[in-house]
């Protein structure tokens, strides 16, 4: 899968950084995490096709995370083909989307399905055969949820071993794919001896929040942890006041969650140079990078 970061500024766009939105390409399906103002244009510049977007996961209803929604929905609806858009978000998402739709006059060709999350712990909000998405409540100034995109493990059949033992390919092999033992010409082939597991990848997104245990839960074992870090440690009091985390706290979350790689985002516009923010995190979690607009991460 490939993640394209479309905005890394907090609250307002700057010349170098747009506000929050992130495009995850999973086998050609477009999955958007947040949709700040200017998302469409960022997608144009980033070479992404908005008509591929099938799901949008919203973290909270602050403008810098949702203001691009109405324009995006409108443009997706300009095409003749029917388009179904699944939108997920915290409580009140249904009410707010319907207000948005009412705010503009356009042909409603996009069928929008909305699912609100009000999780008590870590909860699954979506699942298909390839992946599932979990949510958890975070600690921001309004209802805010973090997300965890989990690719399912895959069973790989050891075809060459089977061939060496005289087994021909055919529908009988399906049983191994399903995790069961296979019987071929009267002989039992144990699943564990003829398959191996390819671990699925995990992408976690911790958006605007104060520090707390749920930040770690949603980030557990993430291959890529995208985490807000509005402030450097020197402004930790300001971070507490505004219910944000510092880059040092982001690094602590990555470390406690056993994440493999941390990408920082949602920087206060006071930082024209991101070095202080990045260095604070790297002291604790060395495999950290500062996100930038149009950064692409393949994993
Ligand atoms: Zn924000
Ligand atoms: Zn916010």
């Amino acid at each position: 899968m490939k993640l394209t970061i479309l905005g890394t500024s907090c609250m307002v766009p700057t010349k170098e950084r747009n506000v929050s939105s992130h495009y995850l390409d999973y086998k050609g399906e477009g999955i958007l995490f947040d949709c700040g103002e200017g998302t469409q244009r960022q997608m144009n510049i980033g070479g992404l096709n908005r008509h591929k977007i099938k799901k949008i996961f919203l973290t909270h209803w602050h403008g810098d995370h949702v203001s691009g929604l109405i324009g995006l929905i409108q443009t997706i609806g300009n095409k003749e083909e029917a388009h179904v858009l699944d939108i997920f978000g915290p409580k009140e998402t249904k009410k707010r989307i319907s207000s948005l739709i009412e705010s503009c006059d356009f042909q409603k060709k996009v069928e929008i399905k909305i699912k609100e999350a009000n999780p008590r712990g870590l909860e699954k909000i979506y699942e298909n055969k390839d992946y599932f998405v979990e949510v958890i409540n975070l600690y921001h100034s309004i209802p805010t949820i973090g997300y965890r995109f989990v690719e399912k493990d895959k069973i790989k059949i050891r075809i060459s071993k089977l061939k060496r033992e005289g087994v021909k390919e055919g529908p009988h092999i399906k049983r191994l794919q399903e995790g069961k033992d296979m019987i071929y010409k009267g002989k039992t082939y144990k699943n564990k001896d003829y398959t191996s597991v390819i671990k699925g990848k995990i992408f976690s997104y911790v958006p605007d929040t104060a520090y707390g245990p749920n930040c770690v839960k949603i980030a557990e074992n993430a291959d890529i942890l995208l985490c807000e870090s509005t402030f450097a440690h020197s402004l930790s009091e300001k971070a507490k006041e505004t219910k944000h985390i510092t880059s040092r706290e982001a690094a602590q979350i990555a470390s406690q969650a056993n994440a493999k790689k941390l990408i920082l985002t949602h920087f206060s516009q006071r930082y024209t140079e991101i070095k202080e923010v990045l260095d604070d995190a790297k002291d604790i979690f060395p495999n950290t990078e500062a996100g930038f607009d149009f950064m692409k991460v393949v994993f």
Side-chain angles (χ1 to χ4, degrees), residues 253-273:
I253 292 166
S255 169
Q256 287 164 359
N258 195 32
K260 292 189 182 65
K261 186 186 178 88
L262 169 65
I263 298 173
L264 304 174
T265 188
H266 202 271
F267 305 116
S268 161
Q269 57 271 21
R270 61 171 51 74
Y271 299 110
T272 45
E273 287 285 323

Side-chain angles (χ1 to χ4, degrees), residues 9-11 20 60 62 64-65 140 208 244 266:
S9 178
C10 121
M11 280 174 70
S20 293
H60 65 302
H62 275 157
D64 56 324
H65 297 254
H140 197 32
D208 305 20
H244 282 291
H266 202 271

Side-chain angles (χ1 to χ4, degrees), residues 20-299:
S20 293
S21 76
H22 318 88
Y23 183 98
L24 186 70
D25 179 316
Y26 185 77
K27 294 183 176 175
E29 179 190 14
I31 302 164
L32 207 58
F33 288 87
D34 281 337
C35 185
E37 174 193 349
T39 294
Q40 292 198 77
R41 187 137 194 283
Q42 294 293 89
M43 287 183 70
N44 288 348
I45 299 167
L48 300 168
N49 181 350
R50 58 179 75 92
H51 295 284
K52 289 194 170 165
I53 297 175
K54 296 288 185 286
K55 295 182 187 72
I56 302 178
F57 293 94
L58 302 171
T59 58
H60 65 302
W61 281 87
H62 275 157
D64 56 324
H65 297 254
V66 292
S67 295
L69 266 179
I70 187 65
L72 180 69
I73 293 168
Q74 192 161 357
T75 319
I76 288 174
N78 284 345
K79 260 204 161 182
E80 281 310 310
E81 297 93 79
H83 194 111
V84 180
L85 197 55
D86 286 301
I87 301 181
F88 304 82
K91 54 188 176 188
E92 296 199 343
T93 292
K94 280 183 189 160
K95 191 183 89 184
R96 292 178 186 273
I97 296 272
S98 81
S99 305
L100 271 185
I101 299 292
E102 287 305 313
S103 72
C104 277
D105 185 42
F106 59 93
Q107 290 181 341
K108 294 162 191 158
K109 284 192 215 144
V110 183
E111 187 190 339
I112 298 173
K113 295 179 181 170
I114 301 165
K115 190 160 184 194
E116 284 180 5
N118 189 16
R120 262 175 272 166
L122 187 68
E123 274 180 24
K124 219 177 254 182
I125 193 168
Y126 177 80
E127 182 168 17
N128 66 20
K129 67 173 180 42
D130 291 321
Y131 62 84
F132 58 88
V133 178
E134 291 174 316
V135 289
I136 206 159
N137 279 327
L138 296 176
Y139 318 95
H140 197 32
S141 50
I142 59 170
T144 299
I145 48 179
Y147 286 100
R148 178 180 169 79
F149 178 100
V150 183
E151 184 184 30
K152 292 182 181 176
D153 294 345
K154 289 205 168 48
I155 293 174
K156 187 168 182 274
I157 299 170
R158 299 167 71 182
I159 291 287
S160 46
K161 186 178 179 189
L162 284 169
K163 277 188 179 162
R164 276 201 306 274
E165 293 179 23
V167 178
K168 291 208 170 81
E169 286 193 53
H172 46 273
I173 284 179
K174 218 176 145 209
R175 282 187 64 85
L176 291 175
Q177 195 73 59
E178 289 165 353
K180 299 170 188 160
D181 294 342
M182 175 184 83
I183 297 163
Y184 180 74
K185 292 188 175 171
K187 186 184 162 192
T188 300
Y189 294 78
K190 288 265 180 217
N191 193 285
K192 66 175 174 56
D193 298 333
Y194 295 90
T195 61
S196 55
V197 173
I198 303 170
K199 280 297 279 173
K201 298 286 166 117
I202 300 173
F203 163 62
S204 292
Y205 175 31
V206 175
D208 305 20
T209 182
Y211 182 82
N214 284 1
C215 302
V216 179
K217 272 187 204 155
I218 200 78
E220 208 122 280
N221 298 319
D223 291 273
I224 298 292
L225 166 60
L226 178 70
C227 188
E228 82 120 310
S229 58
T230 309
F231 303 105
H233 180 65
S234 56
L235 288 175
S236 57
E237 282 309 309
K238 180 121 188 114
K240 266 197 198 86
E241 257 168 54
T242 53
K243 304 229 171 174
H244 282 291
I245 49 179
T246 64
S247 53
R248 188 179 285 185
E249 287 171 319
Q252 277 160 357
I253 292 166
S255 169
Q256 287 164 359
N258 195 32
K260 292 189 182 65
K261 186 186 178 88
L262 169 65
I263 298 173
L264 304 174
T265 188
H266 202 271
F267 305 116
S268 161
Q269 57 271 21
R270 61 171 51 74
Y271 299 110
T272 45
E273 287 285 323
I274 229 69
K275 192 176 179 314
E276 183 192 355
V277 183
L278 181 61
D279 286 352
D280 279 354
K282 280 193 149 187
D283 284 346
I284 291 168
F285 193 81
N287 197 13
T288 303
E289 272 191 69
F292 53 88
D293 290 23
F294 311 114
M295 180 183 194
K296 288 189 192 288
V297 189
V298 180
F299 57 109

